[in-house]
């Protein structure tokens, strides 16, 4: 599996932003090659529907047929790349690009919510060490765009280093990792008279 797929066409990004397509792509990345029927059972959909979306993912270069076919009667698919990347500024230059990025970010938030829900539902089955290590945190700091870009790069470097170190460790498990950062402006204050009325 190649490391990254650099998307430059908004239509390609929009094509993968479909909720079921992203779910199928995620399963092929995390669980390995599978057929439409195998994936259909995992996502509780019909094999006809999963087959259609798998063909669409293949058309745009996200997946390909697995050369190691176990059964000639049914195609097995595999992910081509480990993750997607794109140029935010380039995508923001057109309405289609902005819509595509907004759609895929929404899918990423939905994946975060689903991952958290699955963990909470299975919390009793995890060891105290995993319960302690897992979680979500947030912070608000002042950074320049250059510093935020550097933060992302350092994060990627450390993540790859730790993943390589733990590749053969018996205690290692798949870990779903999300990180995001958005600039924000302080909320504007309301009219003075409204503030006075609320304080009475």
């Amino acid at each position: 599996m190649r490391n990254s797929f650099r998307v430059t066409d908004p239509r390609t990004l929009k094509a993968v932003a479909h909720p079921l397509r992203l779910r199928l792509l995620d399963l092929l990345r995390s669980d390995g090659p599978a057929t439409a029927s195998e994936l259909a059972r995992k996502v509780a959909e019909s094999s006809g529907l999963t087959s259609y979306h798998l063909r669409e993912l293949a058309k745009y270069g996200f997946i390909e047929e697995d050369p190691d076919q176990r059964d000639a009667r049914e195609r097995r698919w595999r992910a081509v790349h480990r993750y997607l990347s794109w140029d935010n500024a380039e995508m923001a230059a057109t309405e289609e690009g902005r819509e595509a990025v907004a759609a895929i970010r929404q899918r990423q938030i939905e994946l975060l919510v689903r991952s958290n829900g699955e963990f909470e539902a299975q919390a009793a089955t995890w060891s105290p060490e995993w319960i302690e290590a897992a979680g979500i945190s947030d912070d608000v700091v002042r950074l320049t765009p250059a510093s935020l870009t550097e933060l992302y790069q350092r994060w990627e470097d450390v993540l790859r280093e730790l993943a390589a170190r733990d590749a053969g460790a018996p205690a290692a498990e798949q870990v779903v990792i999300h990180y995001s950062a958005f600039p924000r402006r302080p909320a504007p204050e309301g009219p003075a008279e409204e503030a006075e009325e609320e304080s009475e």
Side-chain angles (χ1 to χ4, degrees), residues 35-111:
T35 66
S37 297
E38 290 167 344
L39 291 166
R41 288 191 289 272
K42 291 183 178 182
V43 299
E45 296 287 355
S46 71
S47 58
L49 184 63
T50 56
S51 182
Y52 165 75
H53 286 296
L54 288 167
R55 289 195 303 272
E56 287 296 297
L57 286 169
K59 182 170 79 173
Y60 286 95
F62 294 104
I63 66 172
E64 63 187 6
E65 285 192 49
D66 183 8
D68 183 22
Q69 298 285 344
R70 298 179 185 173
D71 186 342
R73 295 170 297 176
E74 192 170 19
R75 286 186 289 188
R76 292 179 65 78
W77 299 96
R78 69 178 184 181
V80 177
H81 310 90
R82 192 170 306 282
Y83 64 92
L84 305 179
S85 65
W86 59 87
D87 186 310
N88 281 323
E90 182 181 15
M91 289 293 175
T94 66
E95 182 177 352
E96 188 177 28
R98 290 190 296 272
E99 289 177 356
V101 171
I104 202 161
R105 283 178 176 161
Q106 183 60 39
R107 299 292 87 79
Q108 290 171 318
I109 291 169
E110 292 166 4
L111 175 59

Side-chain angles (χ1 to χ4, degrees), residues 1-198:
M1 186 186 304
R2 294 188 286 279
N3 198 41
S4 175
F5 181 6
R6 185 74 169 179
V7 179
T8 57
D9 186 344
R11 291 170 296 181
T12 302
L13 194 59
K14 198 169 183 178
V16 76
H18 185 283
L20 183 54
R21 289 178 196 167
L22 273 181
R23 184 88 191 277
L24 296 172
L25 182 58
D26 178 57
L27 287 169
L28 289 174
R29 286 174 175 165
S30 61
D31 298 351
T35 66
S37 297
E38 290 167 344
L39 291 166
R41 288 191 289 272
K42 291 183 178 182
V43 299
E45 296 287 355
S46 71
S47 58
L49 184 63
T50 56
S51 182
Y52 165 75
H53 286 296
L54 288 167
R55 289 195 303 272
E56 287 296 297
L57 286 169
K59 182 170 79 173
Y60 286 95
F62 294 104
I63 66 172
E64 63 187 6
E65 285 192 49
D66 183 8
D68 183 22
Q69 298 285 344
R70 298 179 185 173
D71 186 342
R73 295 170 297 176
E74 192 170 19
R75 286 186 289 188
R76 292 179 65 78
W77 299 96
R78 69 178 184 181
V80 177
H81 310 90
R82 192 170 306 282
Y83 64 92
L84 305 179
S85 65
W86 59 87
D87 186 310
N88 281 323
E90 182 181 15
M91 289 293 175
T94 66
E95 182 177 352
E96 188 177 28
R98 290 190 296 272
E99 289 177 356
V101 171
I104 202 161
R105 283 178 176 161
Q106 183 60 39
R107 299 292 87 79
Q108 290 171 318
I109 291 169
E110 292 166 4
L111 175 59
L112 169 60
V113 172
R114 186 172 71 244
S115 298
N116 180 71
E118 290 173 351
F119 174 75
E120 297 297 349
Q122 302 167 0
T125 69
W126 290 105
S127 69
E129 291 80 8
W130 278 113
I131 296 294
E132 178 64 25
I136 298 175
S137 72
D138 61 271
D139 203 344
V140 179
V141 297
R142 292 183 65 83
L143 296 173
T144 63
S147 291
L148 182 55
T149 300
E150 181 182 346
L151 175 63
Y152 272 120
Q153 187 57 59
R154 288 193 190 184
W155 175 271
E156 291 274 344
D157 292 344
V158 170
L159 184 60
R160 299 302 160 213
E161 177 188 335
L162 295 176
R165 187 185 71 186
D166 291 350
E173 299 278 359
Q174 285 186 353
V175 178
V176 181
I177 296 174
H178 299 264
Y179 49 98
S180 63
F182 299 98
R184 74 175 189 187
R185 294 186 174 94
E189 295 182 10
E193 50 273 15
E194 289 183 9
E196 289 175 4
E197 290 176 5
E198 289 176 2

